[in-house]
Amino acid sequence: MLSPQSHPLIEATLPLVGERLPAIATGFYARMFTAHPELFDGLFSRSNQKSGVQQQALAGSIAAFAAHLVKDPTSAPEIMLSRIAHKHVSLGILPEQYDVVYTYLFESIAAELSDVITAEIADAWTEVYWLMAHALIKQETGLYAAAASDKPLAPWTVTHREPAGSDAVTFTLVPSDDTPASASRPGQYVGVTVRMPDGIRQVRQYSLSAGTGTTTRVFTVKLDNDGEVSPVLHRDVRVGDQLTLSNPCGDITLSTGNGPLVLASAGIGCTPLASILRSLVETGSDRKVLVLHAESTIERWALREQMRADVAILETAELELWLEAPSALDTAHDGFMSLDSVTIPDDASVYLCGPLPFMRAIRAQALASGVPAARIHYEVFGPDLWLASA
């Protein structure tokens, strides 16, 4: 709960702080990594820092949290906090690391707002930070406690790797030791730690594309030639190698009940939705399912055999495909996905995954067709730049 004395100060300074938050976030990371370069080893993404998306995500989350408190000081943006908490758990972040963040974040705030900051304003924004931090710590503590092991990370061994489409690879892994493994839920992801050629460990989150048990992990990785981790996975990781995985994370999971589902994806965004689809097959579900997928070419659809086979098994499932470059052999719409010709079942829950422009467009169309916002779920790969607008 935001205190009565801080509320008017946050409300008055939010426009200015929001305007300067990108610079504050940039200064924060520069200060922190200068003092603690070891944080790049197994925690922060070097490529996200280089591109600036991590700075944007931090600025957006703080601004969204503060704006929510101004509007309703007695509650918190639970959906946003849950998404961040799951991402933190996939990295193994611990409560004491929030103290490190506080130190360098407020050094940056003091520097960027030196022309206007007072002790009272600094205290008010300190309160906002710790309200957000303690809310996240509480959720993360609960997620760690619910896991099968008190170890947030564990070694897993690659047992299979196979091509998935023209530019992706599917990896299957089993536990390397006797660390208890948590079961995954359809739609979740794991943090995958990979050692780079220079010795630094980097972590990326990959959606589990099949399987919900405790004895295997299956994820599919698209090659990004501009990235750090996917080229190493594609080039170097072979059967018999070990990777470090987190417990399954992510709160965009299959809802309970018997209501109809719309699974809409683009590109490699099909992976979490393929997991949801596979789980429906495994449980013998009779839920009505509309699978929508968009791709540049049929060859690039990483999980087309798996998803087509699962749709064929489910008597109540249908598939519609959009291709930017269809061939005469493809039964597909031409171009980008649109819901204009799609009849969304009444009471359907809609799940989205793909590039942000795709999700924004399809979410807007789903809302326009009458789907309530509460029944539209989305998963974002990498730092969530959509927090403030979703």
Side-chain angles (χ1 to χ4, degrees), residues 5 24 36 82 180 212 229 236 238 244 247 254 259 332 342 345 376:
Q5 60 267 31
I24 290 170
H36 297 280
S82 177
T212 55
V229 174
D236 300 335
R238 293 292 181 264
T244 300
N247 288 311
L254 178 61
V342 176
I376 303 175

PDB file of all heavy atoms in Angstrom, residues 5 24 36 82 180 212 229 236 238 244 247 254 259 332 342 345 376:
ATOM      1  N   GLN A   5       1.460  10.014   2.480  1.00  0.00           N
ATOM      2  CA  GLN A   5       2.420  11.097   2.256  1.00  0.00           C
ATOM      3  C   GLN A   5       3.184  10.951   0.944  1.00  0.00           C
ATOM      4  O   GLN A   5       3.619  11.944   0.346  1.00  0.00           O
ATOM      5  CB  GLN A   5       3.412  11.203   3.425  1.00  0.00           C
ATOM      6  CG  GLN A   5       4.254   9.972   3.677  1.00  0.00           C
ATOM      7  CD  GLN A   5       3.643   9.037   4.697  1.00  0.00           C
ATOM      8  OE1 GLN A   5       2.414   8.969   4.811  1.00  0.00           O
ATOM      9  NE2 GLN A   5       4.492   8.337   5.437  1.00  0.00           N
ATOM     10  N   ILE A  24      17.505   6.885 -16.753  1.00  0.00           N
ATOM     11  CA  ILE A  24      17.785   6.347 -15.420  1.00  0.00           C
ATOM     12  C   ILE A  24      18.170   4.876 -15.514  1.00  0.00           C
ATOM     13  O   ILE A  24      19.143   4.421 -14.894  1.00  0.00           O
ATOM     14  CB  ILE A  24      16.564   6.527 -14.503  1.00  0.00           C
ATOM     15  CG1 ILE A  24      16.364   8.016 -14.174  1.00  0.00           C
ATOM     16  CG2 ILE A  24      16.720   5.720 -13.215  1.00  0.00           C
ATOM     17  CD1 ILE A  24      15.050   8.321 -13.475  1.00  0.00           C
ATOM     18  N   HIS A  36      29.948  -4.473 -10.635  1.00  0.00           N
ATOM     19  CA  HIS A  36      29.751  -5.927 -10.519  1.00  0.00           C
ATOM     20  C   HIS A  36      29.708  -6.578 -11.908  1.00  0.00           C
ATOM     21  O   HIS A  36      28.667  -7.079 -12.332  1.00  0.00           O
ATOM     22  CB  HIS A  36      28.455  -6.234  -9.760  1.00  0.00           C
ATOM     23  CG  HIS A  36      28.433  -5.760  -8.350  1.00  0.00           C
ATOM     24  ND1 HIS A  36      29.057  -6.447  -7.319  1.00  0.00           N
ATOM     25  CD2 HIS A  36      27.869  -4.649  -7.800  1.00  0.00           C
ATOM     26  CE1 HIS A  36      28.872  -5.787  -6.191  1.00  0.00           C
ATOM     27  NE2 HIS A  36      28.158  -4.694  -6.448  1.00  0.00           N
ATOM     28  N   SER A  82       3.532 -11.029 -11.570  1.00  0.00           N
ATOM     29  CA  SER A  82       3.657 -12.472 -11.744  1.00  0.00           C
ATOM     30  C   SER A  82       4.578 -12.801 -12.906  1.00  0.00           C
ATOM     31  O   SER A  82       5.432 -13.689 -12.816  1.00  0.00           O
ATOM     32  CB  SER A  82       2.275 -13.087 -11.974  1.00  0.00           C
ATOM     33  OG  SER A  82       2.369 -14.479 -12.224  1.00  0.00           O
ATOM     34  N   PRO A 180      15.507 -33.616  -7.556  1.00  0.00           N
ATOM     35  CA  PRO A 180      14.083 -33.732  -7.893  1.00  0.00           C
ATOM     36  C   PRO A 180      13.670 -32.670  -8.905  1.00  0.00           C
ATOM     37  O   PRO A 180      14.072 -31.504  -8.785  1.00  0.00           O
ATOM     38  CB  PRO A 180      13.375 -33.533  -6.547  1.00  0.00           C
ATOM     39  CG  PRO A 180      14.404 -33.904  -5.529  1.00  0.00           C
ATOM     40  CD  PRO A 180      15.714 -33.477  -6.097  1.00  0.00           C
ATOM     41  N   THR A 212       4.891 -32.618 -20.251  1.00  0.00           N
ATOM     42  CA  THR A 212       4.569 -31.908 -19.020  1.00  0.00           C
ATOM     43  C   THR A 212       4.979 -32.712 -17.787  1.00  0.00           C
ATOM     44  O   THR A 212       4.536 -32.426 -16.692  1.00  0.00           O
ATOM     45  CB  THR A 212       3.056 -31.621 -18.941  1.00  0.00           C
ATOM     46  OG1 THR A 212       2.336 -32.861 -19.094  1.00  0.00           O
ATOM     47  CG2 THR A 212       2.628 -30.650 -20.008  1.00  0.00           C
ATOM     48  N   VAL A 229      23.263 -16.952 -27.710  1.00  0.00           N
ATOM     49  CA  VAL A 229      23.033 -18.294 -27.194  1.00  0.00           C
ATOM     50  C   VAL A 229      22.587 -19.267 -28.278  1.00  0.00           C
ATOM     51  O   VAL A 229      23.110 -20.385 -28.366  1.00  0.00           O
ATOM     52  CB  VAL A 229      22.012 -18.255 -26.040  1.00  0.00           C
ATOM     53  CG1 VAL A 229      21.641 -19.668 -25.593  1.00  0.00           C
ATOM     54  CG2 VAL A 229      22.586 -17.469 -24.866  1.00  0.00           C
ATOM     55  N   ASP A 236      27.139 -26.108 -31.366  1.00  0.00           N
ATOM     56  CA  ASP A 236      28.036 -26.851 -30.481  1.00  0.00           C
ATOM     57  C   ASP A 236      27.383 -27.933 -29.627  1.00  0.00           C
ATOM     58  O   ASP A 236      28.071 -28.880 -29.218  1.00  0.00           O
ATOM     59  CB  ASP A 236      28.760 -25.870 -29.541  1.00  0.00           C
ATOM     60  CG  ASP A 236      29.601 -24.854 -30.292  1.00  0.00           C
ATOM     61  OD1 ASP A 236      30.008 -25.156 -31.431  1.00  0.00           O
ATOM     62  OD2 ASP A 236      29.835 -23.751 -29.746  1.00  0.00           O
ATOM     63  N   ARG A 238      25.541 -31.120 -28.528  1.00  0.00           N
ATOM     64  CA  ARG A 238      25.268 -32.419 -29.141  1.00  0.00           C
ATOM     65  C   ARG A 238      24.712 -33.382 -28.096  1.00  0.00           C
ATOM     66  O   ARG A 238      24.717 -33.109 -26.902  1.00  0.00           O
ATOM     67  CB  ARG A 238      26.562 -33.001 -29.748  1.00  0.00           C
ATOM     68  CG  ARG A 238      27.104 -32.219 -30.938  1.00  0.00           C
ATOM     69  CD  ARG A 238      26.167 -32.345 -32.138  1.00  0.00           C
ATOM     70  NE  ARG A 238      26.658 -31.620 -33.328  1.00  0.00           N
ATOM     71  CZ  ARG A 238      26.284 -30.400 -33.667  1.00  0.00           C
ATOM     72  NH1 ARG A 238      25.446 -29.732 -32.874  1.00  0.00           N
ATOM     73  NH2 ARG A 238      26.738 -29.838 -34.760  1.00  0.00           N
ATOM     74  N   THR A 244      22.452 -26.529 -18.107  1.00  0.00           N
ATOM     75  CA  THR A 244      21.829 -26.193 -16.834  1.00  0.00           C
ATOM     76  C   THR A 244      20.453 -25.605 -17.089  1.00  0.00           C
ATOM     77  O   THR A 244      20.317 -24.636 -17.849  1.00  0.00           O
ATOM     78  CB  THR A 244      22.690 -25.191 -16.055  1.00  0.00           C
ATOM     79  OG1 THR A 244      23.972 -25.764 -15.804  1.00  0.00           O
ATOM     80  CG2 THR A 244      22.039 -24.829 -14.731  1.00  0.00           C
ATOM     81  N   ASN A 247      13.866 -24.629 -13.026  1.00  0.00           N
ATOM     82  CA  ASN A 247      12.550 -25.241 -12.925  1.00  0.00           C
ATOM     83  C   ASN A 247      11.612 -24.609 -13.954  1.00  0.00           C
ATOM     84  O   ASN A 247      11.848 -23.477 -14.389  1.00  0.00           O
ATOM     85  CB  ASN A 247      11.972 -25.043 -11.520  1.00  0.00           C
ATOM     86  CG  ASN A 247      12.667 -25.896 -10.484  1.00  0.00           C
ATOM     87  OD1 ASN A 247      12.846 -27.089 -10.671  1.00  0.00           O
ATOM     88  ND2 ASN A 247      13.063 -25.277  -9.380  1.00  0.00           N
ATOM     89  N   LEU A 254      -2.209 -23.279 -19.702  1.00  0.00           N
ATOM     90  CA  LEU A 254      -3.542 -23.708 -20.108  1.00  0.00           C
ATOM     91  C   LEU A 254      -4.533 -23.568 -18.957  1.00  0.00           C
ATOM     92  O   LEU A 254      -4.307 -24.077 -17.861  1.00  0.00           O
ATOM     93  CB  LEU A 254      -3.497 -25.160 -20.587  1.00  0.00           C
ATOM     94  CG  LEU A 254      -4.830 -25.784 -20.996  1.00  0.00           C
ATOM     95  CD1 LEU A 254      -5.435 -25.021 -22.168  1.00  0.00           C
ATOM     96  CD2 LEU A 254      -4.647 -27.251 -21.349  1.00  0.00           C
ATOM     97  N   GLY A 259     -13.986 -24.801 -21.721  1.00  0.00           N
ATOM     98  CA  GLY A 259     -14.293 -23.774 -22.696  1.00  0.00           C
ATOM     99  C   GLY A 259     -13.427 -23.864 -23.928  1.00  0.00           C
ATOM    100  O   GLY A 259     -12.338 -24.440 -23.919  1.00  0.00           O
ATOM    101  N   ALA A 332      -3.464 -22.453 -47.411  1.00  0.00           N
ATOM    102  CA  ALA A 332      -3.171 -21.388 -46.461  1.00  0.00           C
ATOM    103  C   ALA A 332      -3.691 -20.065 -46.985  1.00  0.00           C
ATOM    104  O   ALA A 332      -3.857 -19.872 -48.202  1.00  0.00           O
ATOM    105  CB  ALA A 332      -1.662 -21.294 -46.215  1.00  0.00           C
ATOM    106  N   VAL A 342     -12.161 -15.075 -39.345  1.00  0.00           N
ATOM    107  CA  VAL A 342     -12.158 -16.135 -38.334  1.00  0.00           C
ATOM    108  C   VAL A 342     -13.335 -15.928 -37.382  1.00  0.00           C
ATOM    109  O   VAL A 342     -13.546 -14.829 -36.866  1.00  0.00           O
ATOM    110  CB  VAL A 342     -10.839 -16.122 -37.535  1.00  0.00           C
ATOM    111  CG1 VAL A 342     -10.886 -17.157 -36.415  1.00  0.00           C
ATOM    112  CG2 VAL A 342      -9.662 -16.385 -38.461  1.00  0.00           C
ATOM    113  N   PRO A 345     -15.052 -18.702 -31.252  1.00  0.00           N
ATOM    114  CA  PRO A 345     -16.165 -19.287 -30.495  1.00  0.00           C
ATOM    115  C   PRO A 345     -16.544 -18.438 -29.293  1.00  0.00           C
ATOM    116  O   PRO A 345     -15.696 -17.753 -28.690  1.00  0.00           O
ATOM    117  CB  PRO A 345     -15.611 -20.650 -30.057  1.00  0.00           C
ATOM    118  CG  PRO A 345     -14.475 -20.935 -30.985  1.00  0.00           C
ATOM    119  CD  PRO A 345     -13.892 -19.611 -31.339  1.00  0.00           C
ATOM    120  N   ILE A 376      -7.648 -12.967 -22.835  1.00  0.00           N
ATOM    121  CA  ILE A 376      -6.591 -12.924 -23.838  1.00  0.00           C
ATOM    122  C   ILE A 376      -5.252 -13.006 -23.109  1.00  0.00           C
ATOM    123  O   ILE A 376      -4.904 -12.137 -22.308  1.00  0.00           O
ATOM    124  CB  ILE A 376      -6.653 -11.655 -24.702  1.00  0.00           C
ATOM    125  CG1 ILE A 376      -8.008 -11.546 -25.384  1.00  0.00           C
ATOM    126  CG2 ILE A 376      -5.535 -11.670 -25.746  1.00  0.00           C
ATOM    127  CD1 ILE A 376      -8.199 -10.256 -26.169  1.00  0.00           C
TER     128      ILE A 376
END
